[in-house]
């Protein structure tokens, strides 16, 4: 099995992509690159069994409805708790599930800068669909939405403070911790890049999260959630430990 992980930025610069091959007893990082274009992602996806995309795949349905209503001048402000009304505009169903399961609050694709990456992501999904990929925003096709911070949390690793200038957790220490708990992961010649770039590191985690989805070790939406997730996207949280990624499909 080959999984692809993409840490998608708003532009090619700082977009990272990792390809991980999964063998019975180990996982090997076969490629890890920075400053990746949409065309290169689409091309690499052709060879992958599963692609983990670190980017929101949609917007909250109440937010979409608000924009449409605002355009024609018929916005109706919900009665009751105004803060809760705004929250429903800002966060998707999957964001709320991640918060309940991990305590992590994902960035709002409707109200935070992550929307710039989502703009690009929408175009990328169209390109992938045009190339013949099954773009199911619930993750049932080749593409699945992942969230490296939540995956790291589920796997018992540090998930905050390793990005930016004021690092609470040294990025190199996090790479070492990952290798310590997953000795079967072979970074090889790409270990240095993983230590230098948190974008590169996140793309490796995204590829590992994609593996969890591919072997049935990630949470899927239930029937009721799926109706909304097909429009808003669904973050596939891993459901097992890191070691479960190399022991085969879940029963």
């Amino acid at each position: 099995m080959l999984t692809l992980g993409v840490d998608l930025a708003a532009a090619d610069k700082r977009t990272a992509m990792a390809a991980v091959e999964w063998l019975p007893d180990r996982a090997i990082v076969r490629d890890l690159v920075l400053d990746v274009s949409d065309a290169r992602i689409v091309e690499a996806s052709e060879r992958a069994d599963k692609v983990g995309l670190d980017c929101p795949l949609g917007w909250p349905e109440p937010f979409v409805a608000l924009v449409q209503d605002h355009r024609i001048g018929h916005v109706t402000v919900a009665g009751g708790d105004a803060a809760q009304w705004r929250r429903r505009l800002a966060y998707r169903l999957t964001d709320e599930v991640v918060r309940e399961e991990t305590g992590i609050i994902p960035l709002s694709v409707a109200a935070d800068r992550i929307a710039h990456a989502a703009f690009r992501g929408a175009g990328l999904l169209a390109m992938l669909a045009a190339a013949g990929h099954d773009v199911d925003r619930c993750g049932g096709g080749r593409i699945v939405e992942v969230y490296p911070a939540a995956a790291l949390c589920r796997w018992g690793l540090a998930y905050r403070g390793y990005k930016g200038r004021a690092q609470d957790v040294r990025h190199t220490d996090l790479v070492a911790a990952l290798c310590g708990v997953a000795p079967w992961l072979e970074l090889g010649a790409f270990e240095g890049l993983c230590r230098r770039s948190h974008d590169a590191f996140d793309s490796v985690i995204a590829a590992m999260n994609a593996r969890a989805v591919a072997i049935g070790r990630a949470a899927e939406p239930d029937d009721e959630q799926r109706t909304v997730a097909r429009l808003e996207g669904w973050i596939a949280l891993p459901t097992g430990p890191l070691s479960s990624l190399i022991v085969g499909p879940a029963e």
Side-chain angles (χ1 to χ4, degrees):
M1 179 182 290
L2 183 74
T3 62
L4 199 69
V6 180
D7 181 40
L8 194 73
D12 296 0
K13 184 175 177 60
R14 293 198 58 187
T15 292
M17 182 172 68
V20 179
E21 181 182 8
W22 298 88
L23 302 174
D25 60 346
R26 65 191 190 278
I28 305 171
V29 178
R30 293 299 188 188
D31 197 18
L32 182 59
V33 290
L34 297 176
D35 302 340
V36 185
S37 68
D38 290 349
R40 189 167 184 180
I41 294 170
V42 173
E43 180 184 6
S45 298
E46 297 284 350
R47 303 184 295 274
D49 295 286
K50 202 75 174 180
V51 180
L53 189 61
D54 178 16
C55 173
L57 299 188
W59 279 262
E61 275 298 285
F63 170 75
V64 173
L66 174 76
V67 172
Q68 292 173 335
D69 290 345
H70 177 65
R71 185 173 185 271
I72 60 175
H74 290 297
V75 170
T76 300
V77 179
D81 189 338
Q84 185 61 33
W85 176 68
R86 291 193 299 271
R87 185 178 186 88
R88 288 195 296 271
L89 297 175
Y91 294 101
R92 302 174 295 162
L93 172 62
T94 190
D95 299 327
E96 297 291 5
V97 171
V98 167
R99 180 181 62 82
E100 292 171 4
E101 293 289 331
T102 68
I104 301 171
I105 303 175
L107 292 175
S108 166
V109 67
D112 285 317
R113 292 177 63 186
I114 190 68
H116 290 274
F119 295 153
R120 181 186 180 191
L124 178 59
L125 290 184
M127 291 176 65
L128 289 163
H133 296 301
D134 179 4
V135 180
D136 174 6
R137 297 182 201 176
C138 293
R142 187 170 298 186
I143 313 302
V144 64
E145 181 178 344
V146 299
Y147 185 18
L152 288 168
C153 177
R154 277 294 178 90
W155 291 330
L157 292 164
Y159 58 92
R160 301 181 195 267
Y162 67 94
K163 300 182 182 182
R165 296 178 181 177
Q167 295 182 3
D168 296 322
V169 177
R170 289 182 57 196
H171 180 211
T172 55
D173 291 342
L174 181 54
V175 175
L178 173 64
C179 293
V181 297
W184 40 264
L185 176 64
E186 299 180 10
L187 296 175
F190 303 109
E191 182 172 349
L193 180 55
C194 262
R195 290 178 178 273
R196 293 193 303 273
S197 166
H198 61 73
D199 301 314
F201 175 77
D202 277 356
S203 71
V204 172
I205 298 301
M208 297 173 75
N209 198 156
R211 164 71 172 182
V213 178
I215 62 173
R217 298 188 184 276
E220 298 180 0
D222 61 29
D223 290 342
E224 183 177 352
Q225 293 169 330
R226 189 176 299 274
T227 301
V228 176
R230 287 194 184 281
L231 300 171
E232 295 185 345
W234 181 261
I235 297 169
L237 287 173
T239 56
L242 268 172
S243 59
S244 70
L245 298 185
I246 58 166
V247 297
E251 297 297 332

